Amino acid sequence: MSIRDWPEGERPREKLLARGSAALSDAELLAVLLGSGSRGKDALALGRELIAGAGSLGALLARPERQIRAGGLGPAKHARIAAALELARRSLAEQLREQPSLGNPRDSGDYLSARLRHLPYEVFGCLYLDNRHRVLAFEELFRGTIDGASVHPREVVRACLAHNACAVIFAHNHPSGVAEPSAADRAITRELRDALQLIGVRVLDHLVIGSGEPVSMAARGLI
C-alpha cells in the first residue's frame, strides 16, 4: 500500500504538519526528507531500510552517501540529506555566535557535537573566542589519532594568532562512541595549554565527543 492510501493523520508529512516534527519517528522524518520511495517500497519503508542498513541513524547521517548508494538511490536524495544536515549545523553555529559569551560547556557542546559526533574518523577542532568569550570561528585543525605526533602546538599557536583569539575551546571526537579522555588526550591538552600561555591565549576547555553527552575536561579538572 502506498503512503497516499494511508489515513491522512498517519502519513508522515501530514502528521508533521498536524502534530509537529517531534511526533515523528526517525524513519518518518527521513521519509519526509526523501520525499518519495523507490521501486517496490514507499518512503517510510525506504527510511527504515536506510537506518537499518547503516546500523543507526547516527551512522547513516555520518556517511549518507554510502547508504544512498547501497539503497540504489540517486544524487537528489543524497543532496536533500546533506542539505538538511548542513542547515542544522549552521543553525547551531548561528545560535552560538549570538550568545553574549560562553559560560559553560553546554553552551558549545551541542554545536561541537553536531560538527564532530558522527564522523567515522578522528578530528581535532578549535573554537576561537574573543576577550569576552564570544565566538570568532570554528576550525578543524587535524585529522587522525589525537596525540603529540598528529596535533602540532606550533600550528595551533599560528591559528590562534591568525584569528586574533584570546581564548579557545578544543574538541575532538572518538569514533568508537566512548567519550572518556585518554592519556594522550590529557597530555596534548597540557602541552597546548602551556604553549598558548606564552602568547596570552587561555584554554577554557577540551571537549571529548562520543555517542552521548560530551565530556568536559575542564569539568574533570584536567585543564
Side-chain angles (χ1 to χ4, degrees), residues 172 174 178-187 189 206-209 214-218 220 222:
H172 78 278
H174 283 178
V178 179
E180 192 64 27
S182 67
D185 296 338
R186 296 192 292 271
T189 302
H206 186 166
L207 298 177
V208 183
I209 310 296
V215 171
S216 162
M217 292 179 68
R220 293 275 188 94
L222 299 175

Side-chain angles (χ1 to χ4, degrees), residues 18 25 37 39 50 52 57 94 112 148 153 156-157 159 163 169 182 190 208 221:
S25 68
R39 183 176 298 177
L50 288 170
L57 179 64
E94 189 176 81
L112 292 169
V156 178
V157 168
H163 287 281
I169 295 174
S182 67
R190 290 192 297 268
V208 183

Side-chain angles (χ1 to χ4, degrees), residues 154-219:
R154 66 180 179 275
E155 297 299 331
V156 178
V157 168
R158 183 179 302 158
C160 287
L161 291 172
H163 287 281
N164 198 27
C166 293
V168 294
I169 295 174
F170 298 127
H172 78 278
N173 64 311
H174 283 178
S176 67
V178 179
E180 192 64 27
S182 67
D185 296 338
R186 296 192 292 271
I188 195 61
T189 302
R190 290 192 297 268
E191 188 175 350
L192 292 172
R193 179 199 61 195
D194 294 344
L196 291 176
Q197 280 180 344
L198 298 175
I199 60 169
V201 176
R202 185 182 173 198
V203 177
L204 300 182
D205 206 346
H206 186 166
L207 298 177
V208 183
I209 310 296
S211 57
E213 287 292 317
V215 171
S216 162
M217 292 179 68

Side-chain angles (χ1 to χ4, degrees), residues 38 55 75 116 123 130 146 150-151 153 155 168 201 212 220:
S38 60
L116 303 178
V123 169
D130 67 11
I146 303 305
S150 61
V151 177
E155 297 299 331
V168 294
V201 176
R220 293 275 188 94

Side-chain angles (χ1 to χ4, degrees), residues 16 22 85:
L16 183 149
L85 286 171

